[in-house]
Amino acid sequence: MEMLELKKQMQAASAPHVRGIGEILLYLGQQNEQIAALIEQDLANREMSINACGKVLYDYAEKHQKGGSWACAVFEMNPDNPVIKLILDFYKIPSAWVEGVRTECADTSVEVLPMAHEEEPQAEIIDLMDLL
């Protein structure tokens, strides 16, 4: 399956975390036709767009932010990873479908969730999120 709607939404996405969600969905869809069909069906609904998922992920990250950081790298398709879990839950993709997917990702640069950095000197860090 070509996942044309997903690719279209990824091209239109401006936020890096939204493009990252698209990359994860594209990877999952390329590995499993059942996931690809479900994703394409969901993306036809505006409320299920990758931008909508990005908003849910951003809100989750902001709520769980620690130390001025909201990044967590995704290195594999582990359904227990908070990023993957949130995306799977949003699109109602059963985690059992992901268990058969190769676990290594080609792109490990997707950063979208909170990670505490307790050892960083907090007094010297200026976070743009604090200005909102």
Side-chain angles (χ1 to χ4, degrees):
M1 177 173 270
E2 292 186 54
M3 302 187 74
L4 298 175
E5 181 60 29
L6 175 60
K7 290 176 182 176
K8 180 177 133 187
Q9 289 187 27
M10 287 173 64
Q11 283 182 328
S14 59
H17 70 283
V18 174
R19 286 192 305 273
I21 290 167
E23 290 293 336
I24 290 169
L25 291 173
L26 186 61
Y27 179 82
L28 288 170
Q30 289 172 341
Q31 302 302 314
N32 182 310
E33 285 289 323
Q34 204 171 10
I35 292 174
L38 180 59
I39 290 168
E40 283 293 291
Q41 176 185 326
D42 286 346
L43 292 176
N45 178 351
R46 184 184 310 188
E47 295 174 1
M48 299 294 290
S49 70
I50 59 173
N51 282 320
C53 184
K55 169 109 175 72
V56 170
L57 184 61
Y58 185 88
D59 291 346
Y60 175 88
E62 193 172 48
K63 180 180 176 184
H64 293 87
Q65 177 174 298
K66 293 182 182 174
S69 177
W70 68 285
C72 177
V74 175
F75 295 105
E76 59 184 41
M77 290 297 136
N78 180 349
D80 294 328
N81 179 300
V83 175
I84 303 302
K85 182 172 177 29
L86 190 138
I87 293 170
L88 295 178
D89 289 347
F90 185 83
Y91 289 104
K92 308 294 188 267
I93 300 169
S95 59
W97 291 5
V98 178
E99 289 173 8
V101 171
R102 284 191 347 240
T103 58
E104 307 86 30
C105 286
D107 179 11
T108 60
S109 63
V110 178
E111 297 183 6
V112 288
L113 274 184
M115 180 184 292
H117 296 286
E118 303 300 332
E119 51 279 346
E120 291 182 20
Q122 299 301 317
E124 297 178 11
I125 295 175
I126 298 174
D127 189 307
L128 294 178
M129 292 298 292
D130 295 337
L131 301 175
L132 293 177

